[in-house]
Amino acid sequence: MTAGRSNGRSGGRPTLEEVAARAGVGRGTVSRVINGSPRVSEATRAAVEAAVAELGYVPNTAARALAANRTDAIALVVPEPETRFFTEPYFSDILSGIGAALGPTDLQLLLTFADGARERRRLAQYLAAHRVDGVLLVSVHADDPLPDLLSQLEIPAVISGRRSEDEPLASVDTDNYSGARAAVTHLLERGRTTIATISGRLDVYGAQRRLDGYRSALGDAGRPPEDSLVAAGDFTEEGGRQAMRLLLDRHPELDAVFACSDVMAAGALRVLREAGRRIPEDVALVGFDDSAVARLMDPPLTSVRQPTAAMGRAMTEALLAEIAEGRPASSRLRRPRQVVLNTELVVRASS
């Protein structure tokens, strides 16, 4: 027998019963101490903790989770192609915030992509088996069936960005409207007169709000916005290039562009350069996100900073609260958690 092991065991993993015997308490008391219950005296807690240390007891987290009807896992669901997730800074920043919030917990994070009908069916089967305690859902489009699926399955869920003003799920978003207004107001204050915008996909509520902010700033300045100065993008660099070519064809005299993402601004910059336009002398350029892309562009890009990592952290904290309260993804008995984070315009050489 190994020195210091006087419990009479011949080896193997120490049990909860052996900890209880060593501490001189009941099995239920040991369980309460291990699970952090306040209904234990300090003396008893100290005795149990000493027994745990002496025996080298390690709680069986899988058994604890099963007993509590928990999996100790949450899923990050991304209804986008994997290539976009791994190339755009927005997603890596979100993931960083999620990781920071999960750090102090014992929860596992599962990453899954649901870009097509087949992937969604497979995900639905997985979630229906209740293999996770909750879901974080990012990059949601208006027609995406996943949020409704989560409601039907009564799985706690938080999404990044509302789908509408009346979003029934818990959500974390940035103030897209005010951020866009600040960007366009900045361009107006710099004396720009023909300000175009490259919007994101308009089936995304956040993209709609950025377009609303653009139009509002122009309207308040006595310049009714023209539809021909709006070109739809898709938050990709190629989408930014295509939209910029269209805008130059329509308005070769334009002297400013507000791109609703830094990645699209990078695509627009390339097209402007190919057309012989100097940045910012001929055309001022502003993006949205304030990602690493903005800081590495030449010239560095003026951009609306949204606290993306903070969004990931806030989403995770909201989901942990939903799980702790036993709330399903959608409940008519209470208002959903709605968190809106502020944006900030970061001015650089591109404007």
Side-chain angles (χ1 to χ4, degrees):
M1 180 179 294
T2 303
R5 286 291 183 91
S6 58
N7 56 358
R9 298 181 71 248
S10 59
R13 181 173 180 163
T15 66
L16 197 71
E17 289 76 9
E18 289 167 338
V19 173
R22 174 64 65 91
V25 298
R27 185 179 188 279
T29 300
V30 175
S31 180
R32 283 193 291 275
V33 171
I34 290 172
N35 287 287
S37 171
R39 297 187 295 113
V40 181
S41 70
E42 287 303 316
T44 299
R45 185 183 305 281
V48 171
E49 290 175 348
V52 167
E54 290 171 10
L55 295 175
Y57 175 75
V58 178
N60 187 335
T61 55
R64 287 165 55 195
L66 182 62
N69 196 27
R70 293 269 299 275
T71 66
D72 280 347
I74 63 174
L76 171 60
V77 178
V78 185
E80 298 283 357
E82 293 182 38
T83 52
R84 185 179 174 201
F85 179 88
F86 289 110
T87 56
E88 292 193 19
Y90 172 84
F91 295 107
S92 60
D93 288 346
I94 285 278
L95 189 58
S96 173
I98 293 170
L102 287 180
T105 76
D106 294 325
L107 293 176
Q108 302 258 358
L109 179 67
L110 306 177
L111 173 62
T112 184
F113 299 93
D115 183 38
R118 179 182 177 186
E119 289 81 3
R120 284 194 293 269
R121 285 195 300 270
R122 188 166 55 207
L123 177 63
Q125 293 171 355
Y126 186 84
L127 295 178
H130 291 277
R131 293 178 178 173
V132 295
D133 296 324
V135 172
L136 299 169
L137 186 58
V138 301
S139 193
V140 185
H141 302 282
D143 59 351
D144 197 319
L146 288 175
D148 292 334
L149 170 66
L150 296 172
S151 295
Q152 292 166 13
L153 295 175
E154 296 190 341
I155 296 175
V158 179
I159 64 175
S160 68
R162 293 169 290 175
R163 292 169 292 166
S164 69
E165 188 68 29
D166 301 319
E167 174 59 60
L169 298 183
S171 69
V172 176
D173 207 349
T174 53
D175 193 343
N176 293 288
Y177 176 84
S178 295
R181 272 188 59 92
V184 178
T185 299
H186 166 72
L187 291 169
L188 289 165
E189 291 173 346
R190 292 294 173 95
R192 305 296 168 152
T193 59
T194 307
I195 303 173
T197 187
I198 300 174
S199 75
R201 289 182 53 174
L202 294 180
D203 60 345
V204 176
Y205 183 65
Q208 296 173 25
R209 294 301 289 156
R210 291 178 196 180
L211 182 57
D212 290 343
Y214 161 82
R215 288 173 169 157
S216 174
L218 289 178
D220 287 350
R223 301 182 185 182
E226 301 177 32
D227 289 342
S228 60
L229 284 168
V230 178
D234 59 0
F235 294 113
T236 68
E237 186 173 354
E238 178 57 30
R241 284 196 290 266
Q242 292 179 7
M244 193 67 251
R245 291 189 190 104
L246 179 60
L247 289 169
L248 283 176
D249 286 343
R250 291 175 179 171
H251 291 276
E253 80 284 5
L254 64 81
D255 60 1
V257 177
F258 167 50
C260 288
S261 81
D262 292 344
V263 173
M264 291 194 298
L269 177 64
R270 179 174 296 183
V271 171
L272 289 166
R273 284 249 171 86
E274 291 170 352
R277 308 301 170 88
R278 298 170 301 165
I279 309 298
E281 292 85 355
D282 301 324
V283 179
L285 183 62
V286 177
F288 201 111
D289 288 331
D290 192 37
S291 63
V293 171
R295 297 185 289 276
L296 295 174
M297 283 173 61
D298 181 22
L301 181 69
T302 294
S303 184
V304 178
R305 176 178 295 164
Q306 60 172 345
T308 316
M311 287 179 64
R313 180 186 287 273
M315 287 177 65
T316 307
E317 291 171 348
L319 181 61
L320 296 179
E322 299 277 313
I323 293 170
E325 295 169 12
R327 291 180 171 181
S330 178
S331 172
R332 295 181 181 180
L333 300 179
R334 51 92 179 179
R335 290 173 59 86
R337 285 182 169 86
Q338 303 286 358
V339 178
V340 179
L341 303 177
N342 292 328
T343 55
E344 175 189 0
L345 182 67
V346 180
V347 178
R348 298 191 179 94
S350 70
S351 62

